Amino acid sequence: MLLMLKFLFINICYFSHTFKSFCIFIPLLGITYLCVDHGPTTSDIAKEVAVLREDIQFLRTELSTQIPSFQLALADLLQELDTGVGTSHEILSNLDNTSKKIVKDAGQFYDVTKTGQIDYAMGSLGGSIVSTRDTKNHVSSPSETGNRAAQQILEPCTMPGECWAFDGSGAVVIQLIGKVNVKAVSVEHTSRSQLLPGLIKSAPKDFSVWGLNSLDDEGQYLGSFSYDIDSSPLQHFTIPEPAAIPFRFIELKIYNNHGKESYTCLYRFRVHGTLEPPEQA
């Protein structure tokens, strides 16, 4: 039981008072942390605390539903140890895999709750950046951006500065976790209330989305959209005419921002739709 609690214990830590941010993470190898920011005003704090409470309750519920299966798996592993079936290395490896699956499932459910749809580009699920074309990364001071690689846009955390910054316009090609019939995408920026004056202008503005099945494809145009800095930090864009075929890659082309001359900052990009079943050999 103590071992089980060790695997499932959830830590809540405070980051700098400048950003006034919560970070919730589950201390298992390979588990991505989840960040929730709250603004400086009383109303913003109340709203964010309510969201945080709902998210924590959701994680508790999802984890609690997995505890019985974890207990059974642990009992089986201990029986193997008692009877000498399997080496200690195999037993510990099986235990680690079981605990990781429980927490990974809960983390995936959390991400779904923010958009109502699975993100097939999410890094922890297997999504990855395969090209940024000729985009030039922007190097800035720590107070502006964290000088992150493009892979950052596939991760859940959107704390101020934790973005992929590039000069002017840019493009990125994302390998999805499988072939996906793309129905929508989401773009997320950090909240205006968390940023220094003027930095919200670095958010992407006009962009287009293209479907590809290889890096050499010209790509199939899926739609053009605009991100509104005066709306919600997380914005959902429906593909007006979804393609008749699934895609293994998605290319995002960003043409401008909201007035920041030195760089554009992209925090999070999601891809939604339906996953094609794997081809049978």
Side-chain angles (χ1 to χ4, degrees):
M1 180 61 72
L2 290 177
L3 184 58
M4 179 184 67
L5 292 176
K6 177 182 178 181
F7 278 114
L8 299 181
F9 183 74
I10 296 177
N11 292 282
I12 299 179
C13 63
Y14 289 89
F15 278 84
S16 72
H17 293 292
T18 303
F19 299 129
K20 298 181 180 179
S21 302
F22 286 114
C23 176
I24 304 174
F25 66 95
I26 304 172
L28 285 171
L29 294 176
I31 302 305
T32 306
Y33 49 81
L34 312 170
C35 297
V36 180
D37 300 323
H38 62 81
T41 66
T42 302
S43 60
D44 286 342
I45 291 175
K47 292 178 182 178
E48 295 297 345
V49 167
V51 171
L52 181 60
R53 285 174 177 168
E54 291 178 0
D55 291 339
I56 291 176
Q57 183 58 44
F58 180 82
L59 281 173
R60 285 175 176 169
T61 302
E62 293 301 329
L63 288 173
S64 65
T65 60
Q66 298 289 342
I67 287 177
S69 61
F70 184 85
Q71 289 174 322
L72 290 174
L74 180 58
D76 290 340
L77 292 172
L78 291 176
Q79 184 176 8
E80 288 181 12
L81 184 62
D82 290 338
T83 58
V85 178
T87 66
S88 58
H89 174 76
E90 291 172 341
I91 292 172
L92 290 176
S93 177
N94 290 337
L95 178 61
D96 184 52
N97 290 337
T98 301
S99 61
K100 282 183 180 180
K101 180 182 184 302
I102 290 173
V103 181
K104 179 180 179 181
D105 288 346
Q108 180 178 342
F109 283 134
Y110 173 86
D111 193 69
V112 171
T113 63
K114 296 185 71 177
T115 61
Q117 302 179 60
I118 293 175
D119 174 17
Y120 292 109
M122 188 174 182
S124 61
L125 295 182
S128 63
I129 304 297
V130 294
S131 175
T132 55
R133 303 301 190 188
D134 57 354
T135 306
K136 184 179 179 181
N137 289 345
H138 178 78
V139 179
S140 63
S141 65
S143 63
E144 290 185 318
T145 73
N147 295 323
R148 304 295 185 183
Q151 185 70 23
Q152 181 67 30
I153 69 172
L154 308 182
E155 305 301 332
C157 197
T158 56
M159 287 180 61
E162 300 295 311
C163 64
W164 174 45
F166 51 89
D167 296 340
S169 59
V172 59
V173 181
I174 303 164
Q175 180 171 307
L176 307 176
I177 66 174
K179 285 192 173 184
V180 176
N181 293 286
V182 180
K183 304 292 181 62
V185 298
S186 297
V187 174
E188 185 173 10
H189 199 76
T190 196
S191 173
R192 178 196 291 268
S193 64
Q194 307 302 312
L195 294 170
L196 295 174
L199 291 187
I200 189 65
K201 294 181 179 180
S202 69
K205 185 179 180 182
D206 300 314
F207 64 94
S208 63
V209 178
W210 302 72
L212 302 82
N213 275 310
S214 79
L215 282 176
D216 298 327
D217 284 357
E218 291 185 1
Q220 182 169 340
Y221 174 75
L222 298 179
S224 294
F225 312 95
S226 293
Y227 182 87
D228 182 3
I229 58 174
D230 294 319
S231 185
S232 169
L234 173 59
Q235 296 177 27
H236 189 77
F237 304 93
T238 301
I239 304 299
E241 295 183 7
I245 60 173
F247 297 107
R248 190 70 173 89
F249 305 91
I250 285 293
E251 182 165 5
L252 170 66
K253 299 180 181 180
I254 298 175
Y255 303 109
N256 50 35
N257 60 34
H258 289 266
K260 186 72 174 177
E261 295 183 0
S262 54
Y263 65 88
T264 299
C265 205
L266 177 62
Y267 278 83
R268 180 77 188 274
F269 182 72
R270 295 173 171 87
V271 177
H272 313 294
T274 56
L275 184 65
E276 285 283 294
E279 296 179 359
Q280 298 297 325

